[in-house]
Amino acid sequence: MHNLDKWIINNSLSRQLFAKKINISTATLSRYLSGDRIPKQEIMEKIVKITRGSISPDDFYITKNNNIFINNFKKKHLLGIEGLNKNEISSILNRADDIVSNSKINYSKDHIYRGKTLVNLFFEDSTRTKTSFELAAKRLGLDVINMQIETSSIRKGESLLDTAMTLNAMRPDILVIRHALSGTPHLLANKVKCSVINAGDGKHEHPTQALLDALAIRKRKNKIKGLKVAICGDIAHSRVARSNIKLLITMGASVNIIAPSTLLPSGDNLLGAKSYTNMQKGLSGADIVMILRLQLERMHGTYIPSAKEYFKFYGLDRNKLSYAKDDALVMHPGPINRGVEIDSELADDINRTLILEQVELGVAIRMSVIEHLLNNSEHKNNV
């Protein structure tokens, strides 16, 4: 029961009478109490005054479909996993899980976020991530603008900051950015008024990928804490690896990273993971095997002798997977290079891989992130 409902009962009132006192309809009050809408500032001031401070804006700072849960992620932006605590990560995962469990992937056009705007600003190709953000936003009722970089003013010499200022003047609610330079989302977050989501910056982070990976693991293994996760591939150039290592260790898992020495980060950048150059040792006892592609676009020089040689020693097949636990599951963030980092037949085995789940859950995770950020912004404006 909502705290305001308790106050109404304790003061011998009804919802109808209380709604009349603050000059709103009973239906609107019900939406506030169900978590489907947050009171505007003038309404919130009336509620606080009438209840003499017993009810505050925090009592309405929730998201809900069928199960109410507290929003523990109260940041304006999602720039990375670094700096997030367990409760903040769990808040995003729980909301996404609630969306999936209650079949709330398709929202009505009259959703409370109608009229909000999300801008996709992708300086690197990524059909999967860009489409996932677009679907997530549209299913929440947002308007979506996909910036066409190839034909934008950026190609005519406009700087990134000039573009940011132009977008800022359009007053979007959320800006999703992917860029080849690490730190670009952080730079924009300091220049624009809207919330910024990092959709991948250089070799730094890819937070929503790590969050959807964590949700996929939790749904199949029913936990993250205590699991052993082996991440194999181009660790040195992978933002997915960095975000996953940070998230998994924060949530109580242990992480092994496996790669040839040329593709391992330096000792100071292991982020708490154990490193191996031998697949058998690195996969031993693993509950989850996460395979990463070779980031050829970020390599300058020769890191492996050949793709064939790489697959021989580090490509995942049935034989190498046998080094892990018998019920170990395989993950891959995509796109897959078959016969390079993973055997094609294994990649298509839905009983051993979570690859399809990763794609599907990406929409729910991004819906959750968008909702958290919009609610945080709404809460700030209403306080």
Side-chain angles (χ1 to χ4, degrees):
M1 180 182 292
H2 196 281
N3 285 339
L4 180 54
D5 257 334
K6 294 178 182 178
W7 188 92
I8 291 172
I9 293 171
N10 291 337
N11 287 272
S12 302
L13 296 172
S14 65
R15 284 190 177 187
Q16 290 85 349
L17 287 174
F18 188 84
K20 188 175 181 180
K21 283 179 178 288
I22 59 176
N23 197 30
I24 61 172
S25 68
T26 304
T28 298
L29 176 61
S30 296
R31 292 190 184 98
Y32 294 156
L33 298 178
S34 69
D36 286 336
R37 185 175 296 177
I38 299 174
K40 295 182 179 179
Q41 183 173 350
E42 60 268 25
I43 301 299
M44 193 67 251
E45 289 174 351
K46 291 179 182 179
I47 293 174
V48 172
K49 183 177 180 180
I50 290 175
T51 62
R52 297 180 180 180
S54 297
I55 304 300
S56 72
D58 284 339
D59 289 298
F60 295 88
Y61 191 47
I62 57 176
T63 54
K64 175 188 180 293
N65 275 340
N66 292 329
N67 300 318
I68 295 176
F69 64 89
I70 302 223
N71 176 1
N72 286 316
F73 181 90
K74 298 183 179 181
K75 291 179 167 57
K76 181 179 180 179
H77 312 289
L78 179 64
L79 303 178
I81 299 300
E82 185 175 13
L84 301 188
N85 60 40
K86 182 178 179 180
N87 289 335
E88 290 172 322
I89 293 169
S90 294
S91 185
I92 295 173
L93 296 181
N94 290 343
R95 178 58 176 152
D97 201 27
D98 184 59
I99 289 169
V100 174
S101 298
N102 292 289
S103 301
K104 296 295 182 180
I105 289 295
N106 292 303
Y107 280 69
S108 72
K109 294 182 179 179
D110 296 324
H111 196 271
I112 58 174
Y113 303 116
R114 190 177 184 184
K116 302 291 185 180
T117 303
L118 178 143
V119 176
N120 273 326
L121 186 59
F122 278 57
F123 290 84
E124 290 184 316
D125 293 334
S126 180
T127 303
R128 186 182 308 225
T129 302
K130 185 177 180 180
T131 302
S132 182
F133 271 110
E134 183 173 359
L135 284 172
K138 287 182 175 178
R139 287 173 181 175
L140 287 170
L142 282 77
D143 296 318
V144 178
I145 299 174
N146 291 313
M147 293 289 291
Q148 299 298 324
I149 302 301
E150 296 80 6
T151 57
S152 73
S153 295
I154 293 173
R155 293 298 187 198
K156 301 173 185 177
E158 182 175 83
S159 72
L160 178 63
L161 290 181
D162 288 335
T163 299
M165 293 302 98
T166 301
L167 290 172
N168 201 41
M170 297 177 184
R171 298 186 179 181
D173 297 280
I174 294 179
L175 176 61
V176 181
I177 181 165
R178 169 170 286 200
H179 201 280
L181 295 178
S182 299
T184 300
H186 299 72
L187 175 64
L188 289 187
N190 290 322
K191 300 295 182 180
V192 298
K193 294 181 180 180
C194 65
S195 295
V196 175
I197 299 175
N198 181 1
D201 61 328
K203 297 185 290 185
H204 182 227
E205 281 218 46
H206 192 351
T208 57
Q209 181 66 52
L211 286 163
L212 72 89
D213 289 344
L215 184 62
I217 292 171
R218 198 174 74 168
K219 289 186 77 67
R220 286 287 288 269
K221 292 291 188 180
N222 298 314
K223 64 176 183 177
I224 297 176
K225 185 178 181 180
L227 295 178
K228 179 184 284 190
V229 181
I231 304 178
C232 178
D234 185 1
I235 310 295
H237 300 96
S238 175
R239 54 195 174 207
V240 171
R242 282 169 176 75
S243 289
N244 265 298
I245 292 169
K246 291 172 183 176
L247 186 150
L248 291 166
I249 290 178
T250 298
M251 299 303 287
S254 62
V255 180
N256 292 350
I257 54 177
I258 314 164
S261 58
T262 54
L263 296 178
L264 283 173
S266 63
D268 294 337
N269 294 317
L270 296 181
L271 306 172
K274 295 180 179 178
S275 65
Y276 296 86
T277 57
N278 180 282
M279 284 286 277
Q280 184 168 358
K281 292 180 180 179
L283 292 177
S284 178
D287 299 282
I288 300 291
V289 181
M290 188 178 296
I291 302 300
L292 304 176
R293 72 179 180 88
L294 295 173
Q295 307 280 312
L296 299 176
E297 68 276 17
R298 296 190 179 92
M299 294 183 185
H300 303 287
T302 303
Y303 286 82
I304 59 172
S306 67
K308 184 177 181 180
E309 189 78 3
Y310 179 83
F311 181 76
K312 177 180 178 181
F313 291 100
Y314 294 98
L316 189 68
D317 53 22
R318 297 281 182 183
N319 181 55
K320 295 188 187 76
L321 184 59
S322 68
Y323 302 148
K325 288 185 177 178
D326 291 340
D327 61 348
L329 297 171
V330 178
M331 305 181 73
H332 194 305
I336 297 173
N337 294 312
R338 296 169 182 267
V340 178
E341 69 262 6
I342 187 170
D343 177 72
S344 185
E345 184 269 334
L346 178 58
D348 293 332
D349 186 348
I350 61 174
N351 295 315
R352 296 303 301 270
T353 74
L354 296 176
I355 295 172
L356 292 179
E357 285 95 325
Q358 288 174 272
V359 176
E360 179 183 356
L361 295 175
V363 175
I365 276 291
R366 284 155 185 142
M367 287 173 71
S368 174
V369 170
I370 291 168
E371 279 200 310
H372 276 77
L373 295 181
L374 289 178
N375 286 335
N376 291 350
S377 176
E378 188 73 23
H379 173 69
K380 182 178 180 181
N381 292 335
N382 288 338
V383 174

